[in-house]
Every structure is written in structure tokens, then in C-alpha cells.
Amino acid sequence: MKRRHGKIARILQTASHTGQNAAMVKTRQILLENFDEEVQDKLRVRAEDSRSARNRFERMLMDLTRAELGGCADFDDDGFNLHRLPSPAGGRGGGGEGEPDADIPLGRYELPRRSGEAHLYRIHHPLAQWVTQQAKSRKLDSAKLIFDYDAYGTRVSTLEPYRGKAGWLTCKLLIVEALGNQEQHILVAATTTDGVVLAEDDPEKLLRLPAIAQAAGLFSDEGNASLAADVESRRTQLLREIKSIDAEIEGGALHGSDVAHAARKTGAPEASA
């Protein structure tokens, strides 16, 4: 039964992401109407997971924007008020190299938008594009970070064993070609000076904590070997997952075509443009 539900889920995913024609949409609707309660529950869980992921990326975009805009904007829980555009002179940007486009409007930005007068802030907005590019192009030298766990305000149980510990943390940009598209992934890895590797997403959690940056000082090579090994392990695992997803999508495309063909053969109605 689980295998059958997984196959149906792949068919639905394919119907919504490949083809995008009226027949596929109609076929998807027919399948949904005939699902039993258990399958519908699974689909609702998938939708909730998607919303949770979207909210997480929205928070990440806001955090990045706050860091890049600095004193050019005032932030609150719902968004920010942009007073001026960043520029080397500290005035209004002119759209030159390294500056945001001067046509970017000042005022209120929200994500998601809660008031009609606010600008909708999203990843494809010119300001968000500039913020992202600035962060990606910045050269980051080695630095010493002192994380303040108590100032975070929320308990992160998996990080508690590392309180009072020291070590190394690194971020790597991985660019992958998948199904004809370029994907960019950030690999974050960390290890303590006594060789303990932070597991799963704990390195990313660590970067959410408030921190004070200081000069790098002197670093010994001890521990860096285990850090490099963990980076390679995470890279291998990510590539394996991407390959698996690609294979599933390609297989789902065939299943989706079969479903649409079956719907036409059995006389299922197709919406007309």
C-alpha cells in the first residue's frame, strides 16, 4: 500500500510540474477526487511541509536582508521600512557596480504582504536579488566567532552539548547541473577541537545564533582533517539525493504521461482552452 501511495504521489507531482496542459490538470483533479482518506491525509502533510519550508526560506531571506541593508532600513516582525539604498557614500544608490538599482522604491516591504500599501518582498524582487548577490560575491576571510546561545532565546537541544566548546566551521557553495537546470546548494560543516563532528543540520543551527566576530588569530591544523572529511561526506550525500530525485522525476514523467493517456482512452473529460 505504501508503495502504491508513493507512486500516486509521484504521478501527482509530475502532473503539476510537467506538461502543464489542460489534460494533465484535469487528470490530476480526477485522481484527487477518487483518493481514499489515507492518501488525502498524506497529501495534506506534504502541503504542510511545503508551507513550512517556504516560511523557513522567507525567514532566511529576511535575515540576510537585515544583515546586508544595515542602517538603511528599520526591521520589525512583519517586514522592514527602507529609508535609503546602500551605496559606498552612504547615500542613495545609483545602480553602479556593487550598488542596487536606483529605481528600487523606498518605503514599506513585507513578506508575506499584510498591508495593501507595502511592497511585496520576495526572492525575485530587485532588492532581494541585489542583497543575495552582495552576500554571494563577498570575500569572507577566516574569522573567530563567539556564539551567544543564551541570547538566541529559544532552546536548541542538539547544540547544548557544544556549549563552552571551540572548533572550526566552514561553508561551501556547491553548484550542480540537474535536469538541465543549475542548482546551488550551501554545505555547512563544523567540528570541535577534539574531533567531534556536528551532525546533520547542527552546523546550520549554529549559524542562527547571535555571534560576535573577532580577528581570526592563530589556528592550528588539528581538527581540520575531520572537517574536510565531513564536507566531502555531505557533498557526496547531497549529490546522491539529487541524483535520486532526478531519477524519480524522470520516472514520474513517464507515469504521468501514462495516466493522461489512460484518462483519454477511458473517455475522461479534458478542459478546453
Side-chain angles (χ1 to χ4, degrees):
M1 180 64 71
K2 289 183 178 179
R3 182 177 298 176
R4 177 175 177 269
H5 290 164
K7 183 177 180 180
I8 292 173
R10 288 195 297 272
I11 293 172
L12 285 177
Q13 184 180 25
T14 303
S16 61
H17 289 88
T18 64
Q20 294 297 328
N21 54 44
M24 294 293 283
V25 173
K26 187 63 178 181
T27 300
R28 184 174 185 270
Q29 181 180 351
I30 293 171
L31 288 173
L32 284 171
E33 290 173 350
N34 290 277
F35 278 159
D36 61 35
E37 183 177 2
E38 181 181 355
V39 177
Q40 292 182 19
D41 288 341
K42 290 180 180 294
L43 294 175
R44 278 194 290 269
V45 170
R46 288 168 65 95
E48 291 171 0
D49 289 343
S50 297
R51 284 192 293 269
S52 177
R54 182 186 63 194
N55 292 338
R56 183 169 66 91
F57 282 114
E58 289 176 352
R59 289 194 300 270
M60 292 171 63
L61 176 59
M62 277 298 188
D63 290 342
L64 180 63
T65 303
R66 184 194 299 267
E68 291 296 332
L69 291 183
C72 295
D74 294 327
F75 287 79
D76 52 54
D77 292 339
D78 297 328
F80 61 92
N81 294 305
L82 182 64
H83 304 305
R84 65 179 186 276
L85 296 179
S87 72
R92 184 172 176 82
E97 184 176 358
E99 298 181 18
D101 193 325
D103 293 333
I104 294 175
L106 304 181
R108 179 70 179 172
Y109 286 81
E110 294 178 346
L111 177 66
R113 183 163 55 190
R114 294 173 173 82
S115 58
E117 297 179 356
H119 301 290
L120 175 60
Y121 193 58
R122 60 195 187 282
I123 190 62
H124 295 298
H125 190 280
L127 180 60
Q129 293 286 297
W130 177 84
V131 163
T132 304
Q133 185 58 38
Q134 283 293 105
K136 290 171 59 178
S137 62
R138 181 173 294 105
K139 185 178 183 299
L140 299 177
D141 297 321
S142 297
K144 179 180 180 180
L145 297 177
I146 302 176
F147 295 100
D148 191 344
Y149 178 85
D150 292 330
Y152 186 58
T154 303
R155 183 184 179 190
V156 187
S157 58
T158 57
L159 294 183
E160 290 183 352
Y162 305 111
R163 298 187 67 177
K165 298 273 189 178
W168 294 269
L169 182 146
T170 187
C171 299
K172 302 290 185 181
L173 176 63
L174 179 64
I175 301 176
V176 181
E177 293 289 339
L179 295 178
N181 297 315
Q182 186 183 89
E183 298 181 3
Q184 296 184 347
H185 301 266
I186 296 179
L187 299 179
V188 187
T191 182
T192 63
T193 52
D194 52 359
V196 177
V197 175
L198 275 66
E200 298 179 352
D201 59 348
D202 282 345
E204 293 186 31
K205 293 178 182 178
L206 194 60
L207 289 176
R208 299 175 196 168
L209 306 182
I212 299 174
Q214 297 181 350
L218 298 176
F219 281 78
S220 69
D221 292 332
E222 182 182 358
N224 287 347
S226 59
L227 181 65
D230 187 45
V231 169
E232 182 60 27
S233 175
R234 290 175 182 273
R235 175 182 176 276
T236 301
Q237 177 63 26
L238 177 60
L239 292 177
R240 185 181 298 117
E241 292 175 357
I242 292 174
K243 184 177 180 180
S244 175
I245 293 173
D246 288 351
E248 183 175 345
I249 291 176
E250 290 177 344
L254 295 177
H255 290 308
S257 299
D258 292 342
V259 170
H261 179 67
R264 288 192 292 269
K265 282 190 65 177
T266 55
E270 298 182 8
S272 58

